[in-house]
Amino acid sequence: MPQNTVSVPAVKEIPELLAPLRERLLADLITLTQIPAPSGDEGKRVRFLLDRFIEAGLSDAGTDQIGNAIGRLRGRRHNRTILLAAHLDSVFPATENHQVTVDSEKVVGPGAGDNAMGAAGLSLLPAVLEHLGLELESDLILLGSVRSLGRGNHAGIRFFLDNCGQRIDCGICVEGMQLGRLNAFSIGTARADIICTIRPNNGSSRLYASESPLVVLNHVVQQILGIPLPTQPYTKIKLGRMHAGRYYDIEPERAELGLEIVSHSDDMVRQLCGQIADLVAESGARYAVDIQFDPFFTTAAAGIPFSHPLVKCVADVMNQLGIEADQTHYPSELCELLMRKIPAVTIGITRGVKNHPRDPDHVLIEPMLKGVAQLVGILLAIDEGRADESPAVAR
Amino acid sequence: MNLQQWLAERTFHHSNFWDIKWLVEQKERQGVTISLCLPTLNEEKTIGKEIVILKAELMDRYPLIDEIAVIDSGSTDRTCEIACAFGADVYVASEVLPELGVQRGKGENLWKALYLLKGDILVFVDADIGNIHPRFVYGLVGPLLQIPEVHYVKAFYDRPIVYSNVLRPTGGGRVTEILIRPLFSLFYPELTAILQPLSGEYAGRRSILEKIPFPVGYGVETAMLIDIHQKLGLTAFAQTDLDQRVHRNQETTALGRMAFGILQTVMNRLEREQKLRLLQELPTIMRQFEASDGTYRQLEFDIREVERPPMIEIEAYRAKFYSASVS
C-alpha cells in the first residue's frame, strides 16, 4: 500500500484538490503547444519536459539515444514499474503559426489536444503527486516519446521498449483527448503512400504509351476499390488523401495517394498490402510511369480483454469521477505496448477538437483537472495491485 | 557614470536572471513585495494566456510576484471576464479614485495602479504580447533586486510584427526612430542609451514612481524616462533585452497620433525645464487626411496629453500608504 504523507484522497475529491495547480497545467499546455514539434524535430519539447522533471526533483531524467524524454520517479518498494507515455510530436510543420489563444473556456492552438495536452499531463504529474502528498510503492517511468506520428511510425516508443532493459508491468498512454477514451486494443494497421511520377526519357517528353500520373493513379484507385474485402475479420481500406497537379492545362508530373488499411487480422493487412503492391507495379508497367507503393507505418492487432483487471480498474476510476467510458478503438502508441504483451490502456485528459475544417484545434479547460485526477486515480489503483492479473487471465 | 559605462554595466539580457529561485531569495532577503500590472483595453485574445503563464510560473511555481492585477480602460470584449477567470485582480480604472475625475488612457491605468497595488516594486507589462514568457517579468525585476541603485528598468527587444500568419523578422519601433531618438539626441542625450524608450514593459520602485507625474495617454513612457532622469540621473536606470516580442502591428496613421501626444509631453517638459520657450499655447488638434474616390477628407483628432500629478500628492494615496505619518 502507498505510504503517503497525507491520507490517500477519495478519487472523486481529487479534481478539487488539484484546483491550485490549474494554471500550472495550463501554462505547461500553452508552452508545449507553442513549441513546434514536427516528427523528428521534437528537441525543444524534450528539453521542456526534462526541465520540468528536473525541477520536480526526479532522480533520473534524461534522453535515450533516439531522443525520448525519460524521467523516473522511484517508488517506495519498487515492486512494479508503471510506464506513462505521451508522444511529443505534432502533425503541424514548424512554419505554422503556433501562437496560442486562451479564453475562459478553452485553449486554442495547433496540436493543443494532440498531443500537447497529453504531454502537459505528464510534465505536471510529479508536481501533482507531491501536491497530493502521494508516494507510490511502484516505480514510475514518464516517457515523452519522439517520432510517433506519420513516418515516425512510433519509432520513439518502439526504441524505448526494445532498449529500456527493464520489465514494464503496466502502461498508460496519455493522449490529450478525448476524456473518457479507454482503449485497450489496437487494430492491425498499415499506412502507405502511392507515388506516381513521369518516367524520365532522356529529355524528350514522355515514353511511348505513357499516361499522366493523375490518370494512372485514378486507375489504381479503381482497382483498389475493386478488391473484395471480407466482412469477418473486420477489414477496411481508407483512401485518405490525394494530390496532383496545379494547372488546368498542364498534366502533372507527379501524383500521390495516401491510404490506410485496417483489420482485426494482421494477416489480412499483410495480404492487402501485397495485393496493392502488385497492382501498383502492374500499373507502372502498363502505363510506362514510375510508381511506388510505400507502406511506411504498420501496427499489429493486439489487446487485452475488457475483463482484464487493468481495464476494470480504469473503468472504475472513470465511473467514480463521473466520466463516461468510451471503449471503441482509436489509434495511438498503445499497440506498441500490447504487441509486447504489456497490459496497457490509452486515456484522454480533456475534450476538444482537432483537424476540423472550420473549427481550429482546441481543448476545453473545465474537464482538464478531472482528466488529471483520473490519471492519479488509475496510478493509485495500479499501485494497490488492483490491475494485477490473476493467473487465469491470459495476456 | 557616463553613457558608455552605463551601457556596459546596466544593459542586461533576460538570461542573466534565469535563476528565478535566486531572485525569490533576494526578494525575501530584501523584504520587498512585487506587483504586476497589466493595463488593458479590449485584449481578449492575449490576456488569458498572459495571466496563465505569468501566474503559473511567477506566483504558483516560484513566488516572485505577490499580486497580478488587470487595470482596464473599459473593454467592451471579454477581457475582464477572462482575466478574472484565471485569478487576476481586475479593476476598472474609471471606478478607482472617482473623486479625482475620469481620464482614459494607458497612463491613467498605470497611475491608478500605484494606488491599487501593494508592491514596493511595480512591473508593467502590456497585455497584447503574443509570445508571453516569464522573462518579460523576471528580466525586468532582476536588475532591481540585484542593484540597489537601480530604480527603473526598461525592456528592449527585437519586435517581429504579425502579418496574417507569417512572422516578419524585423520591424516596429518606428516612432522611436523617427521621433523619440531625434528628440532625445537634441535635448536629453543621455537618454538615447535607452534602446527602446517606448517599450510597454518596464518595472520601477514605488519610491520613485509615486513622485513623478503621469500623462494619461501616449506620453506616459516618455515622461517616465525624462522625469526619473531629472530626479535620479542615468544611474537609476537599467535595461534588459527580452529577445523577441510578438505584437499587433499599428497603422502609420495611428502612430502619427501617438507621436502627436508624445510631442506634447516632451514640449511640456522642455518648457518646464526652460530648455525651450513656447510663445503661444500649442494646439491639441492632430490633422490627418484620407483619400476616397479622388476626394480628400481632413480628419481631426483632439489629443490632449492630460497629466496626473505625482501620486504622492494625492491625499487618499498618502492615507493608504503612509497612514502612520498622516495620523
Side-chain angles (χ1 to χ4, degrees), chain A residues 20 22-24 26-28 30-31 34 52 55 95-97 99-105 124 127 365, chain B residues 44-45 48-49 51-53 55-57 60-62 78 81-82 85-87 130-132 162 164-165 246:
Chain A
R22 187 184 72 148
E23 274 73 36
R24 287 176 64 177
L26 289 170
D28 282 6
I30 293 165
T31 307
Q34 292 190 157
R52 285 289 187 250
E55 280 175 359
T95 50
E96 182 92 12
N97 183 354
Q99 290 303 315
V100 165
T101 56
V102 181
D103 66 27
S104 42
E105 291 95 35
L124 195 69
I365 294 170
Chain B
E44 66 177 3
K45 284 196 187 313
K49 186 166 74 172
I51 293 170
V52 165
I53 295 280
K55 178 174 182 290
E57 300 300 321
D60 299 346
R61 200 181 292 274
Y62 300 104
R78 297 176 68 201
E81 175 206 325
I82 293 169
F86 295 114
N131 61 328
I132 191 66
V162 175
S164 302
N165 246 14
V246 178

Side-chain angles (χ1 to χ4, degrees), chain B residues 37-217:
Chain B
C37 171
L38 308 171
T40 58
L41 176 62
N42 294 329
E43 307 287 3
E44 66 177 3
K45 284 196 187 313
T46 44
I47 189 68
K49 186 166 74 172
E50 281 207 27
I51 293 170
V52 165
I53 295 280
L54 298 177
K55 178 174 182 290
E57 300 300 321
L58 303 176
M59 282 183 86
D60 299 346
R61 200 181 292 274
Y62 300 104
L64 182 65
I65 296 173
D66 298 283
E67 63 179 334
I68 298 181
V70 162
I71 304 186
D72 189 71
S73 297
S75 293
T76 52
D77 65 5
R78 297 176 68 201
T79 299
C80 294
E81 175 206 325
I82 293 169
C84 200
F86 295 114
D89 300 324
V90 179
Y91 304 96
V92 177
S94 59
E95 295 170 2
V96 181
L97 298 172
E99 67 276 14
L100 300 177
V102 175
Q103 301 289 342
R104 272 177 70 98
K106 178 183 171 184
E108 175 82 347
N109 298 15
L110 304 189
W111 184 68
K112 287 183 172 174
L114 289 175
Y115 175 77
L116 286 166
L117 305 190
K118 304 176 199 75
D120 303 304
I121 291 171
L122 289 98
V123 187
F124 301 104
V125 174
D126 276 353
D128 68 341
I129 302 174
N131 61 328
I132 191 66
H133 182 277
R135 69 176 185 268
F136 283 84
V137 173
Y138 68 68
L140 298 172
V141 167
L144 290 164
L145 292 175
Q146 187 171 298
I147 308 170
E149 296 79 31
V150 170
H151 286 72
Y152 186 83
V153 184
K154 191 83 181 167
F156 68 98
Y157 24 63
D158 180 25
R159 302 200 301 179
I161 295 171
V162 175
Y163 285 107
S164 302
N165 246 14
V166 181
L167 290 180
R168 214 178 64 162
T170 57
R174 286 167 283 176
V175 178
T176 292
E177 295 306 326
I178 291 169
L179 179 71
I180 303 295
R181 199 166 297 288
L183 275 174
F184 280 1
S185 297
L186 286 169
F187 298 106
Y188 304 100
E190 278 199 333
L191 288 177
T192 57
I194 308 282
L195 294 175
Q196 291 203 341
L198 296 182
S199 69
E201 287 68 49
Y202 33 90
R205 298 188 195 278
R206 177 180 291 278
S207 54
I208 182 63
L209 294 173
E210 68 185 6
K211 293 187 180 73
I212 56 172
F214 277 56
V216 300

Side-chain angles (χ1 to χ4, degrees), chain A residues 208-230:
Chain A
Y208 174 73
S210 74
E211 186 52 276
S212 155
L214 196 153
V215 174
V216 177
L217 214 51
N218 178 54
H219 175 73
V220 169
V221 167
Q222 293 304 321
Q223 288 193 293
I224 291 172
L225 292 174
I227 296 174
L229 299 178

Side-chain angles (χ1 to χ4, degrees), chain B residues 253-264:
Chain B
T253 49
L255 295 181
R257 295 192 288 277
M258 178 182 180
F260 185 78
I262 292 171
L263 258 178
Q264 288 184 34

